[in-house]
C-alpha cells in the first residue's frame, strides 16, 4: 500500500458542517484528498482548453447566463450562506447582490481590458510593429474564506473565468455548501463546459493538495500564517500566488467631520458580520477636539442595537467559536494596559454554552451578557467599544476579527496618518472629513490598498476598482482591470515591417555602420 493509499484509508470520508448559531447540522460533504483534487484539476485542464478557444463574446454570454441563474437562485444561495456562517439573512442577501455586480462587470469588461493592443516601438525599433496580448493562465486554484464565502472568492473565480481560465475552488471547511452550490449553478447554466468550475471540499489538507497540484496560479484568502504555508507549497513548483490576508483597518476622523455620519459608519464597519470583515473598522483615530463627542455617538448607536440569539439581531454569532478567545484576549490585554471600556468589557462579551433556547439577552437594547443557544455553539459576542488603547496592545496591532472597536484621540491628522500607517497590515482604511478634497489628500497618504472617504467599504461595491493590500495583508489584486489581468500572462509580440538601415542584431553589420548608429543614438539622447 502506498502512502497515498494509506492516507486515503485513514482519512474520514465526510465531514459535517454545523450552524454557528444553533450547533445543528446544516450539511455533510466529502473530504477530497490529493487524488480527487488531481482529477478535478485534470478535468479543469480539459475544460480550460475549450473555454479559452471561445470568442470573448461567447464567454461573456455564458457568464451572464450564470449570473442570471445566480440571481434567480438568490434566496437559496443566501439561505445557504446564512446557515453556514450564522450571519443574518439580510447580510447574506447583500453578499449575493455584491457578487452579482462584480460578476456582471467582469463578464462585460474582460474583452475590453484583455484584448490585444498596439504599443509604440520607439526610434531604435521603428521597423518593428509591437503589440501585447493577455493569454489565460489555464487552471486557477482558489482557496476561499468563511466570513464572506461567496463574495470574496468570486473576486477570483469570476474574474479568472472571465479571463479565459478554468477554476478549481476549495471553500472553507466551515462553508463548503456555498461553494458546491456555486459550481452547480454554473454547471446547470453552461452544461456544455463541464469541469469549468469544480468545487473540492475538505479541511486544510485539501487546500494543501490544491496548492501542490498542477494549477497555474493559486488565489488565497485567509490569515497571514496560513498564507505562508500555502505559499511554501506553491514555491516548490514556482506556482504564482495571490494572497489577501486580512487587515487592521483604520478610520481617521478630522475636526470638521460630520460626526453623526462618522459614528454611524464606524458602528456598521466595526460590527457588521460580527466584526468578521477583513476590510472593516478596528481602529479609529479622531482628532482630540472631536474624540469625546464621537465616542458618545458611537456608544449611543451601539446601545440601540439588538444583538445575541434573537431573531432581529443585527449580526450573528462568531462563525468560528475559537475566534472568541482571540477577541477576549485583545479586550483583556487592552484594559489591563490602561484602555477604557466605553461599552462592554471582557465579562460582558463572554459567551456561554447554554442549552437550546437559553438566551442571555431579553431583546432589550442592552448588549451585555450574551450567550449561545446550544451546547455546541454559544459564540455570540456582545460589542465592545474601547478608548485610549495603547498602540502596542494586541487590540491595535493584531487583527481582532470580532465586534470590537478602539477609538483613540490624536493631536492632529498627521499623527492619525502616522498611527494608521504604523500597522503591519495595509488593506483598507477610511477618512471622514467635511472637505472632500482634503479627505482625498489624507487618503493618498495612507498605505492601505483601498480607502473610502466619508464612507466605509465604499470600494467594495465598485467592481472597476482593484482590491488588495501589502505587508501582512498580502499581495496581488482582485477586482477591476487589475483583477482580470492577474489571471493572465502578458505576451509581447514584435513583427518586423521592414529591414532596418543598420541592423544592430547581426554579426554581418559593418563596424563603421554600427559606429555611426551608436553616435546618432548618443547625440539623440543627449539632446532630447
Amino acid at each position: 500500500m502506498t502512502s497515498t493509499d494509506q492516507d486515503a484509508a485513514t482519512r474520514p470520508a465526510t465531514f459535517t458542517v454545523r450552524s454557528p448559531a444553533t450547533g445543528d447540522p446544516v450539511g455533510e460533504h466529502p473530504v477530497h484528498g490529493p487524488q480527487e483534487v488531481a482529477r478535478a484539476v485534470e478535468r479543469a485542464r480539459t475544460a480550460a482548453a475549450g473555454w479559452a478557444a471561445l470568442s470573448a463574446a461567447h464567454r461573456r454570454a455564458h457568464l451572464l447566463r450564470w449570473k442570471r441563474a445566480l440571481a434567480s437562485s438568490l434566496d437559496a444561495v443566501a439561505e445557504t450562506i446564512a446557515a453556514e456562517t450564522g450571519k443574518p439573512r439580510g447580510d447574506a442577501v447583500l453578499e449575493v447582490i455584491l457578487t452579482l455586480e462584480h460578476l456582471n462587470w467582469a463578464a462585460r469588461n474582460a474583452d475590453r481590458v484583455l484584448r490585444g493592443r498596439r504599443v509604440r516601438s520607439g526610434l531604435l525599433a521603428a521597423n518593428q510593429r509591437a503589440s501585447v496580448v493577455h493569454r489565460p493562465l489555464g487552471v486557477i486554484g482558489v482557496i476561499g474564506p468563511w466570513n464572506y464565502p461567496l463574495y470574496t472568492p468570486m473576486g477570483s473565480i469570476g474574474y479568472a473565468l472571465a479571463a479565459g481560465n478554468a477554476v478549481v475552488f476549495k471553500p472553507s471547511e466551515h462553508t463548503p455548501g456555498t461553494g458546491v452550490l456555486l459550481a452547480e449553478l454554473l454547471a446547470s447554466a453552461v452544461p456544455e463546459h463541464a469541469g469549468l468550475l469544480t468545487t473540492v471540499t475538505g479541511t486544510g489538507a485539501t487546500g494543501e493538495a490544491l496548492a501542490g497540484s498542477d494549477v497555474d496560479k493559486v488565489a488565497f484568502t485567509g490569515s497571514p500564517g496560513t498564507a505562508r504555508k500555502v505559499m511554501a507549497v506553491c514555491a516548490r513548483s514556482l506556482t504564482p500566488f495571490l494572497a489577501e490576508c486580512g487587515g487592521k483597518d483604520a478610520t481617521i476622523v478630522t475636526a470638521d467631520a460630520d460626526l453623526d455620519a462618522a459614528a454611524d459608519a464606524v458602528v456598521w464597519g466595526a460590527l457588521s458580520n460580527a466584526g468578521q470583515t477583513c476590510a472593516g473598522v478596528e481602529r479609529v483615530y479622531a482628532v482630540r477636539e472631536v474624540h469625546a463627542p464621537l465616542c458618545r455617538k458611537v456608544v449611543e448607536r451601539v446601545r440601540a442595537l439588538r444583538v445575541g440569539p434573537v431573531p432581529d439581531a443585527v449580526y450573528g454569532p462568531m462563525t468560528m467559536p475559537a475566534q472568541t478567545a482571540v477577541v477576549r484576549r485583545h479586550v483583556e490585554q487592552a484594559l489591563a494596559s490602561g484602555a477604557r471600556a466605553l461599552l462592554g468589557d471582557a465579562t460582558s462579551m463572554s459567551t456561554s454554552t447554554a442549552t437550546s433556547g437559553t438566551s442571555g439577552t431579553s431583546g432589550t437594547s442592552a448588549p451585555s451578557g450574551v450567550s449561545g443557544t446550544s451546547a455546541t455553539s454559544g459564540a455570540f459576542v456582545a460589542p465592545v467599544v474601547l478608548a485610549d488603547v495603547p498602540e502596542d496592545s494586541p487590540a491595535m496591532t493584531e487583527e481582532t476579527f470580532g465586534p470590537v472597536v478602539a477609538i483613540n484621540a490624536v493631536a492632529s491628522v498627521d499623527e492619525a496618518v502616522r498611527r494608521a500607517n504604523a500597522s503591519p497590515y495595509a488593506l483598507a482604511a477610511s477618512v471622514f472629513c467635511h472637505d472632500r478634497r482634503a479627505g482625498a489628500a489624507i487618503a493618498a497618504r495612507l498605505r492601505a490598498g483601498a480607502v473610502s472617504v466619508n464612507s466605509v467599504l465604499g470600494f467594495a461595491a465598485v467592481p472597476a476598482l482593484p482590491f488588495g493590500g501589502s505587508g501582512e495583508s498580502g499581495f496581488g489584486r482582485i477586482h477591476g482591470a487589475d483583477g482580470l489581468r492577474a489571471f493572465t500572462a502578458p505576451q509581447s509580440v514584435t513583427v518586423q515591417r521592414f529591414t532596418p538601415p543598420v541592423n544592430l542584431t547581426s554579426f554581418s553589420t559593418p563596424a563603421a555602420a554600427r559606429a555611426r548608429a551608436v553616435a546618432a543614438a548618443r547625440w539623440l539622447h543627449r539632446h532630447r
Side-chain angles (χ1 to χ4, degrees):
M1 180 181 288
T2 66
S3 59
T4 300
D5 293 333
Q6 291 173 339
D7 291 341
T10 59
R11 188 176 65 241
T14 63
F15 65 102
T16 301
V17 178
R18 296 183 178 275
S19 164
T22 66
D24 296 333
V26 296
E28 189 159 330
H29 300 271
V31 178
H32 291 130
Q35 290 182 334
E36 293 94 340
V37 170
R39 284 195 290 268
V41 173
E42 185 178 351
R43 290 194 302 271
R45 183 76 58 197
T46 301
W51 183 247
L54 292 178
S55 67
H58 277 89
R59 284 198 297 270
R60 166 179 163 162
H62 288 321
L63 290 175
L64 291 179
R65 196 187 313 160
W66 181 35
K67 183 203 71 168
R68 295 182 187 107
L70 186 57
S72 298
S73 302
L74 187 149
D75 289 337
V77 176
E79 287 170 7
T80 302
I81 293 172
E84 291 188 322
T85 64
K87 67 177 63 177
R89 185 182 180 281
D91 285 2
V93 168
L94 177 59
E95 183 173 347
V96 180
I97 291 172
L98 286 171
T99 300
L100 293 171
E101 190 72 15
H102 277 268
L103 179 56
N104 183 71
W105 190 93
R108 295 184 185 278
N109 288 275
D111 181 38
R112 174 185 61 81
V113 171
L114 301 177
R115 69 172 58 136
R117 69 184 190 277
R118 291 277 300 273
V119 298
R120 292 188 176 184
S121 302
L123 286 176
L124 187 63
N127 65 314
Q128 302 280 3
R129 182 174 67 248
S131 62
V132 179
V133 297
H134 290 270
R135 304 171 61 181
L137 292 173
V139 178
I140 308 300
V142 176
I143 301 175
W146 47 262
N147 59 331
Y148 292 95
L150 182 71
Y151 170 75
T152 298
M154 276 293 283
S156 297
I157 296 170
Y159 287 75
L161 291 171
N165 304 278
V167 174
V168 178
F169 175 36
K170 192 277 176 187
S172 165
E173 57 267 36
H174 298 282
T175 55
T178 302
V180 170
L181 181 55
L182 186 64
E184 289 175 349
L185 287 170
L186 178 59
S188 63
V190 191
E192 59 268 46
H193 290 279
L196 188 59
L197 170 60
T198 302
T199 295
V200 294
T201 56
T203 59
T206 305
E208 181 179 358
L210 180 58
S213 68
D214 189 33
V215 294
D216 298 290
K217 186 168 188 174
V218 172
F220 167 87
T221 304
S223 70
T226 304
R228 289 182 174 91
K229 295 177 182 177
V230 176
M231 188 163 56
V233 175
C234 291
R236 299 172 193 163
S237 55
L238 292 181
T239 300
F241 183 66
L242 184 157
E244 193 267 277
C245 305
K248 191 69 184 176
D249 307 301
T251 294
I252 294 176
V253 182
T254 67
D256 67 342
D258 181 335
L259 296 187
D260 287 315
D264 187 69
V266 165
V267 171
W268 187 86
L271 303 186
S272 62
N273 202 34
Q276 300 167 123
T277 302
C278 58
V281 176
E282 296 206 1
R283 300 177 292 154
V284 178
Y285 296 111
V287 294
R288 200 170 304 282
E289 51 264 49
V290 300
H291 179 258
L294 176 67
C295 288
R296 286 196 298 270
K297 291 177 182 293
V298 168
V299 170
E300 288 170 0
R301 282 165 172 76
V302 176
R303 283 191 186 280
L305 301 177
R306 287 171 62 84
V307 300
V310 293
D312 56 349
V314 295
Y315 62 77
M318 306 298 285
T319 301
M320 289 180 59
Q323 186 65 23
T324 305
V326 176
V327 178
R328 181 190 302 279
R329 175 173 61 84
H330 284 192
V331 173
E332 288 177 341
Q333 292 187 5
L335 296 175
S337 59
R340 293 185 294 127
L342 304 180
L343 182 69
D345 55 30
T347 301
S348 69
M349 62 151 279
S350 67
T351 62
S352 110
T353 52
T355 59
S356 180
T358 302
S359 171
T361 57
S362 61
T364 66
S365 61
S368 62
V370 296
S371 69
T373 58
S374 82
T376 54
S377 61
F380 288 94
V381 176
V384 177
V385 181
L386 302 173
D388 306 331
V389 183
E391 290 296 315
D392 60 353
S393 172
M396 301 300 284
T397 61
E398 301 175 8
E399 188 174 41
T400 303
F401 228 55
V404 178
V405 62
I407 309 175
N408 281 359
V410 291
S412 64
V413 169
D414 288 344
E415 182 182 351
V417 170
R418 285 197 302 273
R419 292 193 182 189
N421 286 341
S423 172
Y425 293 93
L427 184 60
S430 54
V431 177
F432 284 84
C433 181
H434 176 73
D435 186 335
R436 291 191 294 271
R437 187 171 298 178
I442 296 170
R445 298 170 60 189
L446 295 171
R447 289 177 52 236
V451 185
S452 296
V453 177
N454 291 333
S455 71
V456 295
L457 291 165
F459 45 81
V462 183
L465 286 175
F467 179 72
S470 58
E472 290 290 294
S473 292
F475 49 85
R477 293 296 184 268
I478 58 174
H479 301 168
D482 296 80
L484 287 168
R485 295 189 187 105
F487 299 105
T488 66
Q491 182 184 55
S492 302
V493 179
T494 57
V495 177
Q496 183 167 284
R497 299 185 296 134
F498 56 85
T499 303
V502 179
N503 189 353
L504 297 179
T505 60
S506 172
F507 290 119
S508 63
T509 301
R514 185 182 297 274
R516 288 194 298 270
V518 170
R522 178 185 293 135
W523 182 91
L524 180 66
H525 286 289
R526 286 179 61 186
H527 294 88
R528 286 183 72 183

